[in-house]
């Protein structure tokens, strides 16, 4: 979320002072993208927690939006997903992808109950492969599996991605400050403020509709797991770099 005062970005002076609240996957990416666009911008990331203590560090990081995910319009939702996919694809094409924590990932979705659970209308036309699982592949699911899909997607390991982005931001002259922003008014010396506070926005913006809906994961070493597997009720196993499975 951005809070923009009088000056639109296009008319902003050459070296605006920009604050990014939050150093999770969103904050670090926003800061870096803004540096890409405005080389002379003075970017300061202000965050209470940095890697490894953000929610982003805990996430498995698979690119597979929940089917209820939506922006203000279908077009905007589609654009967000397309742009995000393209952003990660561009990283995947670089030799740094693995060090940045970005990896391609094959994913099976199995269900004993419902064919629709194995579909994802948001990315079926976006990812290179999204197809029904074969009879042979269905045998990899839990006993009683009736339906299945296979898709090719990617995953982002924040434990690598966040420090990498932090390094780029600092190399380009940006600053990483640790601290809690109590109110937007306290940042009145900045030309532009990006709110990337994640769940912290609940208090920063008095947005009491913002509640975490779920999220317990266990990370174990299981280097033999090479694909991601989803079962009913969004249970999953997602492999990562270093042989750690979420
Ligand atoms: C268990 C679990 C598994 C998940 N798995 C996936 C997955 O596989 N794929 C996927 O796409 N998503 C997944 N998610 C969701 C994903 O983790 C989040 O959507 C994502 O990490 C949000 O990133 P963020 O940068 O917005 O927020 P965060 O990572 O929470 O970062 C917020 C930042 O803002 C800072 N901050 C907050 N308030 C303030 C303040 N007042 N002042 C200063 N700093 C502040 C914090 O310290 C932190 O630096 C999962 C989430 C959980 C919990």
């Amino acid at each position: 979320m951005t809070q923009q005062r009088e000056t639109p970005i296009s008319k902003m002076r050459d070296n605006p002072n920009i604050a990014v609240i939050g150093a999770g996957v969103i904050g670090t990416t926003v800061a870096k993208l803004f540096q890409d666009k405005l080389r002379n911008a003075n970017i300061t990331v202000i965050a209470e927690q940095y890697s490894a203590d953000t929610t982003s560090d805990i996430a498995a990081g698979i690119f597979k939006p929940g089917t209820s995910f939506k922006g203000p319009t279908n077009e905007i939702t589609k654009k967000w997903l397309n742009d995000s996919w393209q952003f990660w694809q561009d990283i995947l094409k670089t030799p740094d992808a693995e060090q940045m924590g970005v990896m391609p990932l094959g994913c099976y979705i199995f269900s004993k109950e419902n064919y629709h659970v194995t579909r994802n209308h948001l990315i079926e036309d976006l990812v290179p492969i999204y197809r029904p699982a074969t009879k042979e592949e269905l045998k990899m699911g839990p006993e009683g599996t009736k339906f299945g899909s296979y898709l090719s997607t990617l995953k982002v390991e924040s434990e690598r991605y966040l420090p990498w982005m932090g390094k780029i931001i600092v190399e380009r002259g940006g600053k990483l400050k640790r601290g809690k922003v109590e109110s937007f008014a306290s940042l009145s010396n900045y030309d532009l403020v990006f709110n990337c506070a994640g769940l912290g926005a609940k208090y920063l913006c008095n947005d009491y509709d913002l509640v975490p809906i779920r999220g317990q994961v266990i990370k174990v070493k299981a280097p033999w797991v090479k694909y991601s597997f989803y079962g009913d009720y969004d249970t999953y196993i997602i492999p990562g770099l270093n042989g750690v499975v979420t």
Side-chain angles (χ1 to χ4, degrees), residues 21-27 46-49 54-56 58-62 179-181 196-198 200 204 214-217 236:
I21 308 170
V25 66
I26 304 298
I46 308 165
E48 211 178 349
Q49 305 291 350
T54 70
T55 304
S56 299
I58 292 155
I62 192 169
K180 181 170 185 176
V181 177
C196 307
L204 193 56
R214 60 177 296 162
Q216 303 87 30
V217 285
Y236 58 71

Side-chain angles (χ1 to χ4, degrees), residues 24-191:
V25 66
I26 304 298
T28 52
T29 304
V30 163
K32 192 258 178 193
L33 286 178
F34 221 87
Q35 283 181 328
D36 289 347
K37 287 247 182 269
L38 277 185
R39 288 282 169 180
N40 295 326
N42 302 311
I43 307 247
T44 306
V45 176
I46 308 165
E48 211 178 349
Q49 305 291 350
Y50 281 83
S51 188
D53 297 318
T54 70
T55 304
S56 299
D57 287 281
I58 292 155
I62 192 169
F63 187 98
K64 183 178 156 302
T67 47
S68 58
F69 170 75
K70 63 169 190 271
T73 65
N74 288 343
E75 288 69 35
I76 291 174
T77 308
K78 202 168 175 193
K79 181 163 170 38
W80 283 352
L81 290 167
N82 284 351
D83 288 354
S84 301
W85 177 256
Q86 201 47 57
F87 175 80
W88 300 117
Q89 287 304 309
D90 288 346
I91 292 178
L92 270 178
K93 284 180 206 141
T94 71
D96 297 330
E98 196 176 318
Q99 287 181 71
M100 291 177 76
V102 186
M103 60 182 268
L105 183 64
C107 175
Y108 287 97
I109 309 173
F110 293 125
S111 177
K112 295 180 186 180
E113 300 171 9
N114 189 343
Y115 164 72
H116 296 282
V117 169
T118 71
R119 306 292 303 268
N120 189 319
H121 68 289
L122 292 171
I123 55 169
E124 283 183 11
D125 295 333
L126 183 62
V127 297
I129 304 172
Y130 203 116
R131 60 164 175 78
T134 63
K135 274 191 183 158
E136 250 342 274
E137 288 171 327
L138 287 179
K139 290 181 192 159
M140 289 192 287
E143 209 181 322
T145 294
K146 290 199 188 110
F147 310 101
S149 292
Y150 172 80
L151 66 138
S152 55
T153 184
L154 57 85
K155 104 160 219 161
V156 182
E157 299 227 329
S158 287
E159 282 168 28
R160 291 191 187 188
Y161 180 76
L162 300 187
W164 183 280
M165 293 302 262
K167 195 167 139 267
I168 294 179
I169 293 163
V170 170
E171 276 170 6
R172 290 173 170 187
K175 296 188 200 82
L176 305 181
K177 269 175 64 177
R178 190 179 285 271
K180 181 170 185 176
V181 177
E182 299 289 352
S183 70
F184 292 115
S186 68
L187 302 177
S188 56
N189 51 327
Y190 290 93
D191 297 303

